[in-house]
Structures are given as C-alpha cells and as structure tokens.
Amino acid sequence: METLICATNSSLILSKHSPCRPNFPASYPTQKLNHPFSTLKPCASAKGFSSTPPPVGRDNNERPIRKKNNDDDDELPRPVIYRIIRRILFSVGVPMGLGLIFLHIFGVLRENQVYDAPRWLAFITAFLTFGASSVGIAYGALSASMEEKDGSFLGVEQIQKNWVDMWQEEEAAK
C-alpha cells in the first residue's frame, strides 16, 4: 500500500480495494488546504503559546514583579563550596557504588549457580544502599564546615552544629 502523508498536492492511492468495504473509493480527489502548514500557528492561550509576550515588569497574573533582596545572604567562599561538593560526592557515591556492587555480586552468584539469593535480599540491599545514597546529599551539605577550617574527614562534629543553626534560622524566619 502506498501512502503519502502531509503532502500538499497529493492524493491517497491504494493499490487494492479494501476487503472490508468494497464500496470504499480507491483514491481521493486532491484538496487544497486553506492554510499551508508553514503558516499555521498555535491558537491556544495557555502559558507559552500566547502570541503576545507579557509586559515587562509584570508576571502572568498582572502583578508587579518584586525583586528579592538578597543583601543579607552571604556568599560562601570557594573552599567551603568545594568541601560541600566533595562531601556530597563521597556520601552519595560510596553507598551507590556499594549498592551496584552488591547487585552485581548477587547476579554473578545466581548465574554461576553458587548461591541462589532470594529476591527480597537483593531488593532490601538495593533499598538500603540507594536510600543511604539519597540521604547522603543532605549529609554532605550539613557536614561541611562553613568557616575556612577543614574539620574532620567525615565532618560528624559539624553536622551537629549546622543542624542546630539551620533550625534556629528557620525559627527566626517565622
């Protein structure tokens, strides 16, 4: 069956009549479109489809846009940012790597018929290691010292201090 789709000056050509509908015509007359495809534009008025951009200085609800005052926020020094990134990568990467290694080991043991580990064991192992990996993001950010000093390798003493500071700032904001 030969079919031309979306051609401007073509007709649908069927090589055989349809066995289901014997009265179905084999070809259609060519119809010219009122609007060529290149000039069609979306007519919806949802966000992103409007033909006129919103006025500058106002949001979609016609309220003036207020710029946030970030003068009271201090920028973190580069060594602190790098320390946070290092701790996040470590606290996310180690559990995720362990989870992938355990899943690979379970697969190799099952494939070589050494030990047929139950599926729930692989599921629990993946749940714990990938869950610890997701908690690692928060741990990596909270365990970093906000001063120039490095602190310990894992930053356990800093997480206690930063946790209390974070909740005090939250209470002060309310």
Side-chain angles (χ1 to χ4, degrees):
M1 180 183 307
E2 297 175 19
T3 307
L4 296 174
I5 300 173
C6 296
T8 57
N9 293 327
S10 67
S11 62
L12 178 64
I13 301 170
L14 299 175
S15 58
K16 296 181 181 178
H17 293 288
S18 173
C20 299
R21 294 184 180 177
N23 295 333
F24 195 68
S27 64
Y28 295 98
T30 305
Q31 295 179 359
K32 190 165 184 166
L33 296 173
N34 291 337
H35 304 285
F37 287 116
S38 62
T39 60
L40 292 178
K41 294 183 181 176
C43 298
S45 61
K47 287 184 179 179
F49 291 101
S50 177
S51 60
T52 59
V56 178
R58 296 188 175 269
D59 63 0
N60 291 342
N61 296 330
E62 296 300 323
R63 295 181 304 225
I65 297 175
R66 295 182 185 144
K67 294 184 179 179
K68 294 180 180 179
N69 187 4
N70 291 332
D71 294 337
D72 58 346
D73 290 341
D74 296 330
E75 288 189 24
L76 292 175
R78 284 205 181 274
V80 174
I81 292 174
Y82 291 145
R83 189 177 314 123
I84 291 172
I85 291 172
R86 254 192 335 263
R87 294 232 172 117
I88 288 175
L89 289 176
F90 179 78
S91 60
V92 169
V94 169
M96 186 175 291
L98 286 174
L100 292 173
I101 288 171
F102 277 125
L103 288 177
H104 181 70
I105 289 172
F106 287 143
V108 168
L109 290 177
R110 177 174 275 188
E111 185 178 293
N112 293 334
Q113 298 176 351
V114 174
Y115 176 66
D116 190 17
R119 293 197 187 263
W120 62 266
L121 182 62
F123 176 75
I124 294 296
T125 304
F127 180 75
L128 291 175
T129 54
F130 294 152
S133 178
S134 65
V135 172
I137 297 171
Y139 176 79
L142 286 174
S143 68
S145 171
M146 297 301 156
E147 292 91 29
E148 293 293 325
K149 64 177 185 165
D150 281 340
S152 67
F153 179 70
L154 293 177
V156 177
E157 71 282 346
Q158 284 298 319
I159 197 166
Q160 295 169 349
K161 179 185 175 294
N162 291 339
W163 184 263
V164 172
D165 290 345
M166 180 184 69
W167 284 109
Q168 286 176 350
E169 287 178 9
E170 182 71 27
E171 291 295 323
K174 287 182 181 179

